[in-house]
Amino acid sequence: MRNQRVSAAGESAELGERRSSSAVKPRAKVASKAMADTGQILVVKIAKGQLQKKAAKQAIVQKKTQSNANPNPKLGGSSGTARVVISYTQIYRATPLERIEMIRRGIPASEAKRIFADLAMGQGAGFKALNLSTATVNKKAKHGDLLTSEESERIIGFAKLVGQLEAMIQESGDPTGFDARTWMARWLTEPLPAFGGARPADLVDTMEGQGLVSAALAKMQSGAYA
């Protein structure tokens, strides 16, 4: 009888160990799986963070590259002698300091030629009005050179006048069908009573003269035609 009790006790203990072992194994598997899942999540987060940092660095590099290539995008500025496309309206609405910066940097001679080509008044007439040598501008344009600050100031001032007219048309109503540049080229060559019969083109070679022409345009917009 005693042997039977011992045997039964042994069997019971063995059964308890098996149950305990079977209970531990699933928990161990769950814990192991949880650790694996956590590790995978951590790896994903790290990888995602690295990608974000890489994208941020690329964005910074790209921004710096664009900034170096075009330090003053509002005015279409550029470094060196790269092509500069002048927006007349933007130059008119720019601040004086922005225009001064562009003047000091210098306008490409090729851009000066384009301005008068756009106005359809002829480069010879345009350069003569600004007291610029056509031969000198053509030579600089051929070699990709910049105009001097003095030459650039006249070009910027003239482009500002065209921009003023364009802005006037936009603010006055529907500009559809109105060619501001063609009108400007014609108006510059017409004698005005406000100038004692002189033409606007006779005054634009100086900054004072350009100021008078600008004032005449403003009067036209207000209804007090010159």
Side-chain angles (χ1 to χ4, degrees):
M1 178 67 69
R2 185 177 179 182
N3 292 338
Q4 290 178 350
R5 289 178 180 175
V6 172
S7 177
E11 290 177 356
S12 177
E14 184 179 355
L15 180 60
E17 290 177 358
R18 289 178 181 177
R19 289 178 178 176
S20 177
S21 175
S22 62
V24 171
K25 288 182 179 180
R27 284 199 295 270
K29 290 182 179 179
V30 171
S32 177
K33 186 176 185 304
M35 291 177 66
D37 291 343
T38 302
Q40 291 176 353
I41 292 173
L42 183 60
V43 170
V44 171
K45 286 184 177 180
I46 292 174
K48 186 177 180 180
Q50 291 175 342
L51 289 175
Q52 290 175 341
K53 288 182 180 179
K54 185 177 181 180
K57 288 181 179 179
Q58 289 177 343
I60 292 173
V61 171
Q62 184 177 5
K63 187 176 181 179
K64 287 183 178 179
T65 301
Q66 292 174 346
S67 177
N68 291 335
N70 193 355
N72 196 344
K74 181 178 181 181
L75 293 180
S78 67
S79 58
T81 58
R83 176 69 183 276
V84 177
V85 178
I86 293 178
S87 170
Y88 305 106
T89 306
Q90 287 178 342
I91 286 181
Y92 169 65
R93 291 177 174 165
T95 67
L97 290 178
E98 287 172 333
R99 286 192 291 267
I100 289 172
E101 179 186 354
M102 196 173 186
I103 289 168
R104 287 175 174 171
R105 187 166 54 241
I107 298 298
S110 57
E111 184 63 10
K113 290 170 63 67
R114 184 192 67 80
I115 287 177
F116 293 106
D118 282 351
L119 290 176
M121 64 184 299
Q123 291 181 8
F127 295 147
K128 182 179 179 180
L130 294 178
N131 196 22
L132 297 175
S133 168
T134 302
T136 299
V137 175
N138 287 337
K139 182 178 179 180
K140 288 185 177 182
K142 182 178 179 180
H143 293 89
D145 294 335
L146 302 174
L147 297 178
T148 66
S149 296
E150 182 181 355
E151 294 167 340
S152 296
E153 185 172 27
R154 298 176 203 168
I155 295 293
I156 291 296
F158 189 86
K160 180 186 172 185
L161 292 173
V162 180
Q164 180 180 352
L165 177 61
E166 290 181 341
M168 285 169 49
I169 300 305
Q170 293 171 4
E171 294 167 0
S172 299
D174 185 6
T176 304
F178 183 84
D179 190 338
R181 298 174 186 178
T182 299
W183 184 93
M184 185 70 166
R186 184 175 64 252
W187 181 75
L188 285 170
T189 60
E190 294 178 351
L192 293 182
F195 300 151
R199 306 174 307 161
D202 298 329
L203 306 175
V204 294
D205 61 327
T206 65
M207 301 313 296
E208 285 292 328
Q210 289 184 1
L212 289 175
V213 174
S214 176
L217 287 173
K219 287 181 180 179
M220 292 175 62
Q221 185 179 22
S222 66
Y225 293 93

